[in-house]
Structure formats: C-alpha cells, structure tokens
Amino acid sequence: MKTRLHLPVAAFAFAFLSTLASAQPSGQAPAPGDGPPPRQAGPGSKGGPGAKGGPGGMGTAKFTAPILAKDAAEKKILDVLADISANQRRGSMSVPDDDGRILRVLAESLGAKHIVELGTSVGYSATWFCLALEKTGGKLTTFEIDEGRAAQARKNFQRAGVEGRVTLVMGDAHQTVATVKDSIDLLFLDADKEGYVDYLNKLLPLVRPGGLIVAHNINQRQADPAYIKAITTNPTLETVYLNLESSGMSLTMKKR
Ligand SMILES: C[S@@+](CC[C@H](N)C(=O)[O-])C[C@H]1O[C@@H](n2cnc3c(N)ncnc32)[C@H](O)[C@@H]1O
C-alpha cells in the first residue's frame, strides 16, 4: 500500500502535543472511565493545581485550545463526538477529550491510510480517527469483544457519517487480529492492558517503517511493565510518553 508521509508536519505535531496534552479545554471536565487517575499535587510537585511559576520557572500557565470546526463536514463529526463525550461515557471507558484530539492530530499529520485500533468501545476514539481519515482518504480497522458497546459504536459511526471508513471486527482480538493483512500506519492499543505485549508482537511486523504504535493508559496504575520493557528495549523502536501525569500514552515509532 502507498503511504504518504508529511514529515515536517509530524515533527511539528510531536513538539506541539506536549502543550496540547497539558491543556484542558475550557468547560470540559476530566473524563471518568479509563481516564486520568486523580492528579497528585503536593509540595514541590510540578504543575499541580495551585503551583506557581517563579521568575525563570516554567510556571503552570493553562492554555486552552477550543475545538473549532473548519467546515460543515468537520462540524458534523465534531457534534457527534461532543455528544458521545457528554452522554455516553458511563461504562464506555472512552479516552478523555484531549487524548481523542491528540489521536486525530497524530493520524492526520502522519497522513495515515490505515489505522488499527484495539478496543472500540462505543467508538469515541475511533470517531476521532475517522475525522483524520476523512482528510487522508484512509480506513480504520477496529476490534471489540463486547456486542453492546459495538452496537452503540456502529450507531455513532452512522450518525457521524463515517461508517464507510470503518471495519469493526467482533470477538477476542487476540485471535481476530490475525485477519489484518494490510500495512498499518498507526496502531492504537486500548483494549485489555495485559494484552498489549501480545498485540504488539502480532501486529508490529505490519506497522510500516515510520509508523506509530500508540498505547493508552500508560500510567503507574495501569501500565503493564512487560509492555514498557517491550517498547523501550527494542533498538528498532523509539518511544516517548505523553500525559504521564494523567491517563498517559506512549508513542512508539518504528524506525526506518
Ligand atoms: C478502554 S475501552 C476502549 C475505549 C475506546 N478506545 C475509546 O476511547 O473510545 C476498552 C475496550 O476493549 C474491549 N476489549 C477488552 N478486551 C478485549 C479483547 N480481548 N478483544 C477485543 N476487545 C476487547 C472492551 O470490551 C472495551 O470496550
């Protein structure tokens, strides 16, 4: 499969993301479910609520970046995303809003044509990916084991008008990922946390050089040490972390 790479944009995105990651959009409460554990801000902690930046310090300025629709097509998808976030979080374990935005930025700046997602739930992160895929002309293959959440995801994809971009594969993804044959630009791990190593082992050969593996819930409470070891001891991979103080994500690039 042909892949398009927008390297300068991708580099910019990486630099930009740490700022985005620390900024909570105005009016958005932290998400429940699999979202961030409570922030711990104690004396001497950096960036905790109430901390102050002294002269020369980095400070804790809160930048906000409202979600703005470029056109009617974006607005249609963003409206569905806002509804899922506001009304379908209970029991869905969807990513926090900021993380969804990060996923979109990564996918779109990478020019992703094929994204594979482990853990569809009700389709919140998948719909953020679809916002990017609408621009890149790409497709999403997403895996889910729970029929109730998958049914809700299908409805959400239809409401957003992105169902044509999505293949939702039902069943235990540890088995069903064997159906993936096409090259992967971005692999997103957000299903069973203790399964990340198995998913990585099975799908890394399909991730194209320069492609990304993004894992969610890379925080002290949820990250599987075996996964951290796998992405930090392989010299063919380059791993950085985002949002470690909240839900936590690892970004792993497969080197060229
Ligand atoms: C954290 S939620 C995914 C949230 C989703 N990525 C989002 O942010 O919108 C994890 C999902 O993975 C699914 N899951 C867990 N184990 C699985 C497995 N072995 N195969 C497929 N799906 C699985 C769960 O049913 C659940 O819906």
Side-chain angles (χ1 to χ4, degrees):
M1 187 195 340
K2 266 190 171 178
T3 52
R4 279 188 301 156
L5 175 70
H6 304 286
L7 196 54
V9 185
F12 167 77
F14 276 104
F16 163 75
L17 285 173
S18 48
T19 303
L20 175 63
S22 63
Q24 190 71 35
S26 53
Q28 288 180 348
D34 80 337
R39 283 174 189 262
Q40 291 172 353
S45 71
K46 288 181 190 166
K52 284 191 181 142
M58 297 297 279
T60 56
K62 278 283 187 188
F63 299 114
T64 58
I67 299 171
L68 306 173
K70 177 184 167 194
D71 52 30
E74 276 202 4
K75 184 171 186 320
K76 179 175 177 179
I77 298 174
L78 287 170
D79 284 350
V80 173
L81 283 164
D83 177 62
I84 301 172
S85 182
N87 302 312
Q88 298 179 30
R89 283 208 170 269
R90 186 179 292 270
S92 72
M93 301 164 285
S94 301
V95 297
D97 301 329
D98 277 355
D99 292 3
R101 298 175 75 185
I102 289 171
L103 295 175
R104 181 266 178 107
V105 168
L106 289 173
E108 197 168 325
S109 58
L110 201 61
K113 293 280 191 177
H114 186 207
I115 297 172
V116 171
E117 173 183 69
L118 280 302
T120 318
S121 188
V122 300
Y124 185 61
S125 51
T127 304
W128 277 109
F129 281 134
C130 285
L131 186 51
L133 293 169
E134 283 291 311
K135 315 298 173 109
T136 64
K139 63 180 183 180
L140 170 72
T141 309
T142 181
F143 293 85
E144 179 53 57
I145 201 168
D146 182 274
E147 185 48 63
R149 285 193 280 270
Q152 187 61 44
R154 284 187 204 98
K155 284 185 199 160
N156 286 329
F157 297 148
Q158 284 199 337
R159 286 197 303 149
V162 297
E163 71 277 13
R165 302 215 170 265
V166 184
T167 302
L168 203 170
V169 183
M170 287 304 302
D172 181 354
H174 291 284
Q175 270 78 56
T176 54
V177 289
T179 59
V180 181
K181 303 290 181 206
D182 291 342
S183 171
I184 300 169
D185 297 297
L186 194 159
L187 170 63
F188 181 51
L189 304 179
D190 196 21
D192 47 320
K193 310 305 162 200
E194 67 285 2
Y196 283 16
V197 172
D198 185 52
Y199 296 132
L200 182 72
N201 288 338
K202 287 177 172 157
L203 293 171
L204 184 58
L206 285 173
V207 176
R208 59 124 161 132
L212 280 181
I213 304 112
V214 182
H216 201 247
N217 301 118
I218 300 299
N219 57 63
Q220 285 210 332
R221 183 167 56 87
Q222 294 169 287
D224 178 1
Y227 182 74
I228 302 297
K229 188 174 174 196
I231 56 173
T232 54
T233 57
N234 180 341
T236 72
L237 302 175
E238 169 68 2
T239 292
V240 294
Y241 302 102
L242 276 181
N243 253 351
L244 281 184
E245 76 285 2
S246 55
S247 50
M249 280 198 268
S250 57
L251 301 189
T252 300
M253 182 183 69
K254 185 173 182 177
K255 294 181 193 171
R256 288 159 199 277

